[in-house]
Amino acid sequence: WDRRRRNLAAVLAYKGIRPAEAARRSGLSINTVGKFIRGETHSMRHSSLDKLCAAVGLASASLLDTENPLSETKNLLYAAVHDMTDEQAQNVLNYVRNGYQ
């Protein structure tokens, strides 16, 4: 949980999202989010963590378990995918699935 807390705080800082805004976006209380980030609680319900991650643009709460959930490569990839149309994204996905052929 400590890694998740640290990584969530880093994601919020990187994206310029205050804990109160993350709480509002996720439908969670400001106290719940703030206490988790400050380490005043030892854990958070998985459903709450999923809501919070979705609210700040993380595809999965499991990204918070990684060493660096927002590496430069992941950031560039995320930005590229974010700017694609659904058709472009499908074409890239097909290309990757077919072994870059």
Side-chain angles (χ1 to χ4, degrees):
W1 284 102
D2 285 334
R3 177 180 280 187
R4 289 177 179 173
R5 182 184 342 276
R6 284 190 316 270
N7 281 342
L8 180 59
V11 168
L12 292 177
Y14 178 82
K15 293 188 173 204
I17 302 171
R18 294 184 179 272
E21 176 62 16
R24 186 193 64 76
R25 290 181 186 183
S26 64
L28 300 172
S29 76
I30 293 170
N31 285 338
T32 297
V33 175
K35 285 180 178 182
F36 180 71
I37 290 173
R38 289 189 304 271
E40 295 174 12
T41 59
H42 296 289
S43 64
M44 179 183 275
R45 288 186 190 141
H46 287 284
S47 61
S48 296
L49 189 59
D50 287 338
K51 287 179 188 178
L52 189 54
C53 287
V56 299
L58 291 178
S60 170
S62 65
L63 290 171
L64 296 176
D65 293 328
T66 63
E67 195 62 37
N68 183 1
L70 289 173
S71 71
E72 185 63 25
T73 302
K74 289 179 184 178
N75 289 329
L76 292 172
L77 184 58
Y78 174 81
V81 171
H82 183 266
D83 294 337
M84 289 180 186
T85 65
D86 285 344
E87 183 179 342
Q88 290 170 322
Q90 186 63 54
N91 289 339
V92 170
L93 181 59
N94 291 340
Y95 178 74
V96 170
R97 283 183 173 162
N98 290 323
Y100 310 103
Q101 298 174 5

